[in-house]
Each structure stands twice: as structure tokens, then as C-alpha cells.
Amino acid sequence: MYLTTVMGNAAIIFLVCVDNHLQTPMYFFTGNLAFLEIWFTSSTSTKLLVILSSGRRTISVGGCFAQSSFYFVLGAAEFALLVVMSFDRYVAICQPLRYAAIMKHRLCIHLVAAVWVTGFTFLSYRLVLLSKLTFCGSNKIEHFFCDNTPLFQLSCSDTSLLWKIDSIFILFIVLSSSCLTLASYTSIFLCILQMPAASGRKKAFATCSSHLTTLAIAYGSCIALYARPTGHVSLETNRSVALLNTVLYPFLNPIIYSLRNKAVMLALKEVIARATAQLFP
């Protein structure tokens, strides 16, 4: 699943870069989402694969903190990017005549820059939070990556205040982004209902419903993981839910957002045809 996720997202980035028909704001954001997904799933899966293949079940303190930081930084950036993508779809469906005037290339670049600023702002906060932890007892992490719950439970310092601050910060990002995303999709649904053609409504509903399915996995798993106090979180439940967020969601994203798209599949067929013609003239 990890290799499929990486190759699928890498193929999307390649197609967006080389195909002129995909040089639009929607695919520009989709390419950025694919780039984020590669790094997001790699932040946890690569170390897990090394452990499973080598049998060395160790990670340095610095490596553990780096893994935790990148996981949350890339997650925060992805939530911000999902808001931007939902806004882009709202303008395309509800304001089609003004789409080109609103979604100019400069605005798209500024929106993506804001996404990364959001992520790196979260990085500074994570580093301050992790620096407050002290470890003096067991060094066994009951998880497949350095998530908050096992790290806080492993620390011998009082983490109650840190947990509250962390939960508030994460919930702010998750809930604010989910509210903005849902507001865009609600407006999209209202616009779809006003479409005269039944076939157009059916296609639009199918696309939006698949998007909302992946969003439900991402937002639902994050709320389940980080909305409760540490004393009420089962590590077994934490691990199971975290698999949805770190493995299943990145695996589904390239399929839902791009590989089901006719324009993307047409671009892929053209690239394969050109490559075949060059290899076998």
C-alpha cells in the first residue's frame, strides 16, 4: 500500500507537470496534495518498513521527535490544502463564469504558500512542546510511530497541561479546516441541486460524495485520536485508528482525487503511448 501510494502520487505530479491540459488551478492543487501525501505517509511508513525488514526495533530520541514533528506539520498543511481545494471546487461549480478571473496563477501560488506557512508554524509549536518532555523510565513506545499518546505516556514529567495545549491546538486546526471545507461543499451541493441536467447532477454528486468519504476518514480519525484526554486513550485503539490516517487515507487520495478523473487518465494514456512509440518506433 505504501509503494502504491508513493507511485500513484508521483505519477500524478509527473502528469501535472508534463501535460498542458492539466495546467489548471485544480490540478495545480492536486499536484501539491500528491506531493504532501508522499511525504506524509513516508514520515511514518519508511521507519516502520525498516523495522519490519531489519528487525531493529529502535529509534533515536532525535529521530522520534523529528518523526512526530513532520507527521503533525504535514498533517496540518494537508488540512489547510483541503480547504483551498474545496474553495477551488466551489468557485468552479458555483461561479463558473468568474472562475478564470478569481483563480489566477498568482492567487494559487499565494494559497499554496499559505498552506506551507501553516505547516511550518505548527513545526515551531511542536518543537517547543516536545522540548518540555523528560524521559527517565521505560523507553518502549507502544506504537508503530512516535505519536502523541505513547510519547506522553512514556514521559515521566507531568504532561496534563501539555496534553491540553496540544489537544486544543490540534482541534483548532482540524475543526476550523473541517468547518470551512464543509461550508464549501454545502454551497456546492446547493448549486448542484439547481443544475437543470440530471446527468450533470449525478456526476457532481458522485464526485463530491467520494471526496467527502476520504475527508470523513481524515477528520474522523484525527478527532478520535486527539480530542480526548490522555488518560482515556487506549493505545490499542490509538494504533488501529492511526492506521486509517497514515495508511488508508493516503492510499485512497490519489484514486479519489485524480485517478478516477477522465482528464488524468487521458493524459496518462498519452504519456504511455508516447513512451511506447519511442521505445518501439
Side-chain angles (χ1 to χ4, degrees):
M1 290 182 73
Y2 170 71
L3 291 176
T4 303
T5 301
V6 172
M7 289 189 295
N9 283 301
I12 292 167
I13 296 171
F14 174 74
L15 292 174
V16 170
C17 291
V18 302
D19 193 282
N20 292 329
H21 297 94
L22 301 182
Q23 304 294 323
T24 64
M26 182 180 75
Y27 295 110
F28 175 72
F29 295 134
T30 302
N32 278 274
L33 178 66
F35 180 78
L36 265 173
E37 287 291 7
I38 291 175
W39 290 105
F40 178 73
T41 189
S42 297
S43 66
T44 57
S45 298
T46 49
K47 182 60 180 179
L48 176 61
L49 292 173
V50 169
I51 289 174
L52 293 175
S53 59
S54 66
R56 294 184 57 189
R57 299 174 177 268
T58 58
I59 185 171
S60 65
V61 175
C64 187
F65 285 0
Q67 185 187 64
S68 178
S69 297
F70 279 112
Y71 169 76
F72 284 100
V73 165
L74 295 169
E78 185 164 335
F79 282 140
L81 183 57
L82 291 174
V83 174
V84 172
M85 293 178 69
S86 65
F87 172 73
D88 173 71
R89 290 297 81 209
Y90 161 75
V91 177
I93 294 175
C94 300
Q95 304 285 337
L97 299 180
R98 301 177 58 197
Y99 182 75
I102 296 174
M103 302 304 297
K104 294 182 178 179
H105 185 64
R106 178 178 294 182
L107 176 62
C108 295
I109 293 176
H110 288 169
L111 289 173
V112 170
V115 166
W116 285 104
V117 168
T118 301
F120 281 104
T121 301
F122 204 45
L123 173 61
S124 59
Y125 147 76
R126 292 295 304 170
L127 293 176
V128 171
L129 185 72
L130 293 174
S131 67
K132 301 295 183 182
L133 297 177
T134 57
F135 302 93
C136 56
S138 172
N139 61 353
K140 185 177 181 181
I141 300 175
E142 299 288 348
H143 212 298
F144 62 88
F145 77 102
C146 295
D147 199 5
N148 276 4
T149 300
L151 273 180
F152 284 1
Q153 292 188 0
L154 196 63
S155 175
C156 56
S157 57
D158 184 9
T159 60
S160 57
L161 179 60
L162 294 178
W163 184 268
K164 290 177 182 178
I165 295 173
D166 197 49
S167 297
I168 292 171
F169 204 90
I170 292 174
L171 280 177
F172 171 76
I173 290 178
V174 173
L175 293 179
S176 60
S177 62
S178 63
C179 288
L180 291 172
T181 303
L182 286 176
S184 295
Y185 276 103
T186 301
S187 300
I188 290 172
F189 275 121
L190 294 176
C191 291
I192 291 172
L193 291 174
Q194 297 175 7
M195 290 181 177
S199 59
R201 289 197 301 271
K202 183 177 180 181
K203 181 180 178 181
F205 272 125
T207 301
C208 291
S209 62
S210 59
H211 289 185
L212 289 174
T213 300
T214 60
L215 292 175
I217 295 174
Y219 286 114
S221 59
C222 283
I223 292 173
L225 286 173
Y226 307 114
R228 297 173 295 176
T230 184
H232 296 85
V233 177
S234 165
L235 285 175
E236 184 176 354
T237 302
N238 186 290
R239 289 192 297 267
S240 301
V241 177
L243 282 174
L244 297 177
N245 203 28
T246 59
V247 178
L248 182 61
Y249 173 68
F251 175 76
L252 291 176
N253 256 357
I255 300 173
I256 296 297
Y257 281 97
S258 300
L259 299 181
R260 292 172 67 249
N261 188 289
K262 291 183 179 179
V264 173
M265 294 308 298
L266 180 60
L268 180 61
K269 289 178 182 178
E270 290 178 354
V271 168
I272 293 174
R274 286 200 299 266
T276 304
Q278 292 178 354
L279 291 174
F280 307 101

